[in-house]
Amino acid sequence: MKVILVNNYSMTAQWEFWLKENYQCPSHHLWGATTLPKYGIHVDILPYEKYSLLKKISQKLKIFGDLDQQLRILFLNSEYDAVYSGHHLTTALLAFLRAIGIFKKPIVAIAYQSFQKKLSSQLYTKLFLKGHDKLFCLNNEIKDHLKDEFDIPAHKLEILEWGTDLPYYQVKNINHEDEAECSSRLILSIGKTYRDYDTVIKAFSQINCHLKICAYGNSLFSDTSGLPSNISIIEKSLSWQEILAAYQEAYAVAIPLNIRQDKPYNAIGLTTLLEAMSMGKAVVMTSNQFVGIDVEKQRIGIFVEQGDVQGWQQAISYLLEHPDETREMGNRARRLCEEKYNLEVFTSRLSELLKDVLRSQVL
C-alpha cells in the first residue's frame, strides 16, 4: 500500500529535521510516516509549497483547504492508493470532489478539532468534510461532537489517539524531597499556541517557586516589564535536546490555555500534555475536555478554569506541598504513555484503519 501525506504545516521540513538529527529525535509530528513502513505501508510526503500564488489564495479562501497541495495531488493520484492528511481541513476540496465522484482515491484525515454549531459550519461540514472516507478523531469528545452536532455518519469516524515517540523521552529520577525550599523547584511552561501566559505570570507573582516559560514568539506576552525574579521567559526557538533538558529539570509542568470563544472545540495543549506525561511529570492545565485526557480522573494532574489566577496558585501550591503525590502523578502519566499514548500504538492502529479503507474499495 502506498499513501501520499499532506498537512497544514510542512511535513518535508519535519522530515528533514529528523534526518538532520540522524533519527535521534522524536518523529510523532510526522504522523506515522517513519513507522508505517514496518506495517507494509509506504508513505511519500508531498512538498508543502510549490505554487506560492495558490498558497496565498488558500490563505484567503480557507474553506477550500490547501489548494497548492490538493491540485498537485489531482495529477498524482494514480500513483497512490490513498491520500492521508494530517489535518482534516487541508483536504477540504479533494473531499468535496470525492463526494461528487470526480476524485476516485480514498481520502483519510486526522481530526483534532470541531466547530461551533451554526449554519455556515453545518454547510461547510456537509460540503467539505463528509467527503472524506474516514476522519480519524484524536478522542471521543471530537468524534461525538462531529457526529452529534454535524451529522457526520458514525461509520466515517474512528478514534485514533495520538502519542509520542516514547524512546526519545528519557526520564531521570529527581529527588525533590532533598530540595531545601519550594523556591528551588522549577515549574516549566512550554508552547506557543493559544497560551494564556498572562494568567500564570500573575499567579506566580505570589508563589515562592521558579517558573520558566519557553515560548518562541514575544507576541504571546502583553507586558514582560517588571517580571518577578522567580519568573524567566525563554523566547528563542529551542533545539530538541534543550527541550528535553527543560522537561528533565522541571518539578511539574504548567499548561495555561487561552481557549478562544470562536474556536472552543480544539485539542489545544495536547502536544505539551503528552510530552509532560512522557517525561513523567505531573501537570497543572487549563480545563479543556477536547484535549481528550482527563488529568484529574487519571490522577496525573490538576485542572484549573481559564483565567483563574487563584486556581493556579492553589494548584501549584498543592503540588509543591505534596512531593510524594506529585511524583506518583508523574509516574502514572509515564505508565499511561507506555501503555497507550505512544507512537507505536498510534501507528499500529493507523495501519489497521488505512488497510480497512483500502479493503472497502475492493468490496
Side-chain angles (χ1 to χ4, degrees), residues 74-145:
L74 284 174
F75 296 98
L76 292 173
N77 76 85
S78 61
E79 301 178 24
Y80 301 98
D81 297 302
V83 176
Y84 169 35
S85 175
H87 185 242
H88 62 321
L89 306 185
T90 298
T91 41
L93 178 61
L94 283 182
F96 172 74
L97 296 177
R98 173 82 169 143
I100 62 176
I102 293 177
F103 190 73
K104 303 299 183 181
K105 299 288 181 167
I107 309 168
V108 301
I110 301 290
Y112 54 79
Q113 68 183 85
S114 187
F115 315 91
Q116 285 184 312
K117 188 176 182 180
K118 51 187 178 180
L119 183 60
S120 59
S121 56
Q122 288 177 309
L123 182 62
Y124 177 79
T125 54
K126 183 176 182 179
L127 290 175
F128 296 107
L129 286 191
K130 287 186 178 180
H132 288 89
D133 293 72
K134 293 285 185 180
L135 292 175
F136 302 150
C137 304
L138 292 191
N139 55 63
N140 273 303
E141 288 76 15
I142 292 170
K143 177 184 176 182
D144 289 345
H145 200 267

Side-chain angles (χ1 to χ4, degrees), residues 117-246:
K117 188 176 182 180
K118 51 187 178 180
L119 183 60
S120 59
S121 56
Q122 288 177 309
L123 182 62
Y124 177 79
T125 54
K126 183 176 182 179
L127 290 175
F128 296 107
L129 286 191
K130 287 186 178 180
H132 288 89
D133 293 72
K134 293 285 185 180
L135 292 175
F136 302 150
C137 304
L138 292 191
N139 55 63
N140 273 303
E141 288 76 15
I142 292 170
K143 177 184 176 182
D144 289 345
H145 200 267
L146 289 170
K147 175 173 63 72
D148 297 338
E149 300 297 328
F150 296 99
D151 298 321
I152 293 181
H155 73 270
K156 289 192 174 229
L157 301 170
E158 300 284 355
I159 298 297
L160 178 62
E161 292 172 308
W162 197 32
T164 61
D165 198 348
L166 199 57
Y168 293 97
Y169 290 84
Q170 305 154 12
V171 177
K172 292 183 179 179
N173 293 322
I174 299 174
N175 189 354
H176 295 295
E177 291 179 339
D178 292 341
E179 295 171 343
E181 300 177 355
C182 290
S183 59
S184 64
R185 297 173 183 166
L186 170 69
I187 305 298
L188 174 68
S189 195
I190 190 166
K192 64 178 182 178
T193 304
Y194 300 123
R195 290 305 194 265
D196 179 18
Y197 286 124
D198 287 341
T199 295
V200 81
I201 286 172
K202 290 176 185 175
F204 271 80
S205 66
Q206 302 297 321
I207 298 176
N208 185 30
C209 178
H210 182 203
L211 170 67
K212 178 188 283 187
I213 296 174
C214 299
Y216 181 59
N218 58 16
S219 60
L220 293 166
F221 308 101
S222 60
D223 183 12
T224 58
S225 61
L227 283 177
S229 59
N230 65 316
I231 300 175
S232 58
I233 297 176
I234 311 299
E235 296 185 59
K236 70 171 185 175
S237 180
L238 300 180
S239 68
W240 159 243
Q241 291 302 325
E242 289 173 323
I243 291 171
L244 183 63

